[in-house]
Amino acid sequence: MDLKERVCGELQKEVPKGASFTKFNTQHQQKWEDPSSTSDYSTRIEPPFQAFNQTSQTQSLLLCNNQIKVPMQDGSVNDLLQASKIQDWDPSAMLNNLSFLGQKIHQLQDLVYLIIGRKGQVLGRPDELLVQQQQLVTADLTSIIVQLISTAGSLLPSVKQTLSAATTSLGQCGEFGGVVFPSSAQGLNDGVQPQNAGGSKVSEPPNSVDITSNNGNEQSNHIIEEHELKDEEDAEEGENLLPGTYEILQLEKEEILAPHTHFCTICGKGFKRDANLRMHMRGHGDEYKTPGALAKPTKESSSEPTIIKRYSCPYAGCKRNKDHKKFQPLKTILCVKNHYKRTHCDKSYICSRCNTKKFSVIADLKTHEKHCGKDKWLCSCGTTFSRKDKLFGHITLFQGHTPAIPSDEIKAAPAGTSDGATNKVGSVNFNLSYVSSESEVQSSSMDIKGGIDDAVGYFSPLSFDTCNFGGFHEFPRPPFDDSESSFAFLLSRSCNYSQKSGEE
Amino acid sequence: MLSFQSSKNVLSLTEDLLVRIYELLAAESDRKSFRLVCREFRRIDSLTRRHLRVIRIEFLPILLRKYPRLQSLDLSACPRIDDGVVSLLLTRVGPGSNSPSLGHWAWGLKSLVLSRATGLRFSGLEMLTRACPCLESVDVSYCCGFGDREAAALSSAVGLRELNMDKCLQLTDVGLAKIAVGCSKLEKLSLKWCMEITDLGIDLLCKKCVDLKYLDVSYLKVTNESLHSIASLLKLEVLGLMACPLIDDVGLQFIERGCPSLKVIDVSRCEGVSSSGLIYVVRGHRNLLELNAGYCLSELSTALLHQMKNLNHLEVIRIDGARISETSFQVISANCKSLVEIGLSKCVGVTNMGIMRLVSACINLRVLNLTCCHSITDTAISAIAYSCRSLVCLKLESCNMITEKGLCQLGSFCLLLEEIDLTDCCGVNDKGLEYLSRCSELSCLKLGLCTNISNKGLSYIGSNCLKIHELDLYRCTGIGDDGLEALSNGCKKLRKLNLSYCNAVSDRGLAYIGRLEELSDLEMRALHKITGVGLEAVAVGCKKLADLDMKHCEKVGDSGFWALAYYSKNLRQINLSYCGISDMALCMVMGNLSRLQEAKLVHLSNSTVEGVELALRACCARIKKVKLFAPLRFMLSSEILEILHARGCIIRWD
């Protein structure tokens, strides 16, 4: 937009001296109103609307439209424009694009002429053929606009430098445009006309054209901005589909969580994949064994423009839900399934190795199990890493986190050499050394025993738990968690003691 | 009246004035005299004393109780520092037993030197750091067993600013990360020989400790990645990269663009660094004060010289081992006028003309190292002496062409000279020593392999250079007992003496040595004339003897060793290899010398395996390093070897 505005601004600066500008404008207005006033019944409301448009929208916008149309229609102007550009871009490619566009517009023109020719016969009657044609015209126009914008977009980086150079030629261009304009306006109007005639239900048909062109403008704005701002964003974000340009599908919760999506029409057996179903179908008769039946069903919709499908999560309030303010659609059904399970379902798969990590998608569990136990790099926050540099990256990022030092050496130190990996052995060793070190001071050890007696009293309801705990410890646990193991040691001691006292 | 006045003079001095006076006493001996004056003075001493270097552990509790306001405690010379001792000190030592202020001595402690405290482990270290909330500086260098756990213990000292972890061999990136996260105020860190440290650790350190001013990563296997991280340290002033084999010029490019405060850089012995790398450094840091590029340059290139023109503030440059031309000297002297120290050790191309050009403008030179610059003669020495009047240290080892004429010039002009190394300068003779003795400030004199000097020359030194504290007479075969007599009469401050292979020295000479009360370091290898009598004289006289090397003194008998074991209580290192010491004497020496930390006991002809075993058992609690005859490895009981190992003792098998 800003390009166009600038160009228009330049134009206005250039042109005002000539009366041709105003003349041209009025001329345009006349031309515009002319057919609408004469043509049909449904557009009685149109003239005021049109006038509103004319007055409210700045003339520059109109000029803009005009100016856009010019290069589309006339190759000579193209050349003029092209001549003023610098060599940043490939002029021959541009020429190709433009001539292609020109051809397309001519085709469209022909079509519209055809429709006009037929209009007289089918007027007032909603004809299916006409509706189809109308759709065709709109689609073609859209594609032209899109291509035009993309062609213009390729110029963008070089535009600012060449702007001053371009203005002179654009000055001429403006006058030229003035000459050519009527026909283009005619064309447009003509394009509008059948729509009015056909779609009688539409309340403001000519306006719809305006809207589309406005839309086009908006779109171009958007795309231009994108070009300027996020030129080098990564591909995934680059998808960034405009709202409305794709179809949103939303599966229900039950549908998402259903184990099978393909069911046999004969026996009712469910399958995850269509291919598996097809394989299954072979058993139901020879008719399912033909290459046609076994082949992957191709989409017949290749002829009509395929509408992009995106998916919405059924969970209200989720960012992936279509009602969310910053809705981000999901690409495939598989994405929906995984997303829903991961974020809105219980994590029912527990890793059998570490007994701590839980997953809701079984594939995630399998991925984790591949690496579980290999994470020997531990942070003080409890996060484990399989690689040292990842741990150090984590520590760099978070204030106060430090790498944890495996504590097996601590136990080995007082107990002498103990290769026992299990905690039980460690605690036994520790126990012994504790007693031996304390045996010198008899009275204090007695005190401690008394203390333990008390502790037994305290912990008596826990005795069952402690037993469990001991059993639990026979798992080869990662040798970290200093505090917990010492606690376990205390408990197991007290447990032993309580057993003894129970015997007594 | 007079007595009243005098007593008034002493007693009327208020406490704060006494404290001021006390603080002006620099030497330890003066302070000792001060506190022996009277009780009041002793009280002042105990209240004011900030630093304590403990030599015997048995006095530590008393000393800690006596000096409540200690800020700095040095336990590096103390054997037997281990977790148990630390825990005892923290739980038992206080103003009164069971008072809440137990371990009070640790509260104000700011500096702790635990160098070579190999018996200490992480639990003791953790107790110490927990007990000392104000700790700012810790030295655990050469605690070879220290690793990540010890680092984790240290990291609880959050106020730490200086940390020396040289040769903590088990330290890895994990431990370093602990310290980097825990001690984020760190300003000075030395990690020499911590061989397990990699780029990851250094990178984390540089991100967490942004206040670092001093960083030494010498001998580490770090790469240019580390230099990239180090370059982000805005306050870094001193960077030690000595002998880092994996860094090269590309890494120094990072330094060019980073470290805006860099003042000192040491890239000596870095194999990958060439002159282009140094060009980067010099180009990026115009305010460099010290550049150490020894043994990494093959030649002082013109491009580098061109860049060095801009180093107007450069004070120290060392380019040992490089080829250097006479014009280079011209450029250096013309531009680096503030140079104070130049190291040209083993440089090729150092000529008289070059030196003359150098000293013509660099008149502020204080330290000049010309080791192995064989082609310089008296002409160069004269030029140095004439220009650099403030010269303090001159190293001329292996400069064979120097004669008494050069020394005459030095003795005439360089009266501030404190240290001169004339090792292997065969041109030095008695006359030369006479000239040199005019430098009355001389404190360190090295005359090893100067075979042309005799007792006469030494007597000049003994009568004039009264401040000498280090003298090297290695293989000065012309020196005999008379020279030592002259020496012992004059140089009362001698602390370090090397008499190895001075064959003429006999028991009489050692008796003179015994008069040197300050002597702490005596090397007397292969003195074949000396016997137990001589050793006894030394042991009785030299009370401060800490390091004794008497390898190959085969005639010394047990009487000498008995005396040694009885008198030399301060002995820390001993070399008894090839001595005829008996089992009994060995046990006595090793068991009785309570400060002994290092012993070399190879080829003891008169002792048995059982004797060595017994001797080791007698000292196993405090010994930190021992060198033994290799076959003993399989003859000694595994128990004693395990004990030694558990105590952090390093055994070298020879």
Side-chain angles (χ1 to χ4, degrees), chain A residues 395-435:
Chain A
I395 285 162
T396 313
L397 210 60
F398 293 97
Q399 202 85 36
H401 289 206
T402 61
I405 301 168
S407 61
D408 47 357
E409 286 166 40
I410 292 183
K411 284 165 197 155
T417 52
S418 72
D419 293 326
T422 59
N423 264 346
K424 221 175 182 183
V425 173
S427 74
V428 166
N429 275 343
F430 195 79
N431 207 339
L432 282 172
S433 72
Y434 185 67
V435 168

Side-chain angles (χ1 to χ4, degrees), chain A residues 388 395-396 402-403 405-406, chain B residues 149 173 178 181 204 207-208:
Chain A
K388 188 180 170 189
I395 285 162
T396 313
T402 61
I405 301 168
Chain B
R149 302 189 167 285
D173 289 339
K178 284 267 182 199
V181 173
L204 187 75
K207 280 175 180 146
K208 295 285 182 184

Side-chain angles (χ1 to χ4, degrees), chain B residues 373-386:
Chain B
C373 296
H374 300 288
S375 54
I376 62 162
T377 66
D378 291 333
T379 323
I381 302 299
S382 302
I384 292 167
Y386 191 74

Side-chain angles (χ1 to χ4, degrees), chain A residues 61-343:
Chain A
L61 187 69
L62 274 173
L63 255 177
C64 246
N65 284 342
N66 169 25
Q67 196 249 312
I68 283 179
K69 256 88 197 184
V70 170
M72 278 207 296
Q73 294 211 327
D74 205 310
S76 64
V77 183
N78 280 345
D79 290 345
L80 259 177
L81 268 172
Q82 269 178 303
S84 66
K85 305 290 182 212
I86 57 166
Q87 289 76 31
D88 247 0
W89 45 285
D90 186 4
S92 58
M94 172 66 89
L95 186 65
N96 280 341
N97 277 345
L98 290 177
S99 52
F100 173 71
L101 277 172
Q103 275 179 11
K104 261 206 144 174
I105 284 167
H106 280 299
Q107 282 172 7
L108 197 61
Q109 237 175 344
D110 290 343
L111 184 71
V112 175
Y113 274 126
L114 198 76
I115 295 168
I116 291 171
R118 212 186 278 173
K119 196 182 83 182
Q121 306 158 14
V122 293
L123 187 69
R125 191 161 55 93
D127 195 328
E128 269 200 3
L129 183 72
L130 203 66
V131 173
Q132 265 185 12
Q133 279 173 336
Q134 177 195 339
Q135 277 175 352
L136 215 63
V137 169
T138 346
D140 273 2
L141 268 174
T142 331
S143 79
I144 286 170
I145 287 165
V146 167
Q147 282 190 40
L148 184 69
I149 284 157
S150 73
T151 314
S154 72
L155 281 179
L156 263 172
S158 60
V159 160
K160 278 171 194 168
Q161 299 147 12
T162 57
L163 204 62
S164 54
T167 45
T168 48
S169 59
L170 276 174
Q172 301 160 3
C173 169
E175 283 176 338
F176 205 2
V179 179
V180 199
F181 182 76
S183 71
S184 88
Q186 189 69 44
L188 249 182
N189 266 340
D190 288 350
V192 169
Q193 228 53 356
Q195 205 181 3
N196 289 343
S200 54
K201 283 174 251 172
V202 185
S203 53
E204 58 269 326
N207 207 14
S208 76
V209 172
D210 257 357
I211 285 166
T212 52
S213 72
N214 272 353
N215 256 359
N217 275 346
E218 271 172 31
Q219 213 166 4
S220 72
N221 267 349
H222 190 85
I223 288 166
I224 286 165
E225 272 169 22
E226 251 191 358
H227 266 283
E228 282 172 353
L229 295 176
K230 29 185 172 178
D231 223 350
E232 279 135 67
E233 284 229 25
D234 51 317
E236 194 156 317
E237 288 299 310
E239 194 207 29
N240 217 349
L241 289 172
L242 284 165
T245 54
Y246 52 89
E247 185 186 358
I248 301 170
L249 299 174
Q250 183 170 302
L251 279 73
E252 283 314 304
K253 186 188 161 192
E254 289 73 23
E255 212 171 340
I256 290 170
L257 296 178
H260 303 135
T261 45
H262 304 278
F263 294 95
C264 173
T265 46
I266 297 163
C267 66
K269 193 175 179 193
F271 295 91
K272 277 182 184 173
R273 290 172 228 275
D274 186 44
N276 293 351
L277 173 64
R278 270 182 274 129
M279 290 298 114
H280 162 82
M281 292 308 279
R282 291 179 304 175
H284 287 300
D286 283 340
E287 65 266 38
Y288 299 108
K289 287 179 181 169
T290 60
L294 285 172
K296 194 178 176 181
T298 49
K299 283 164 188 168
E300 311 86 52
S301 55
S302 57
S303 61
E304 63 185 43
T306 49
I307 296 162
I308 308 164
K309 283 180 189 166
R310 287 294 179 265
Y311 297 88
S312 155
C313 169
Y315 194 91
C318 175
K319 202 179 183 183
R320 303 298 198 172
N321 183 270
K322 61 188 172 186
D323 297 327
H324 192 274
K325 213 188 287 175
K326 293 176 181 171
F327 170 57
Q328 286 185 330
L330 292 153
K331 267 188 181 174
T332 64
I333 295 175
L334 194 68
C335 290
V336 178
K337 287 188 166 185
N338 282 342
H339 159 79
Y340 194 84
K341 283 181 191 167
R342 278 180 188 138
T343 30

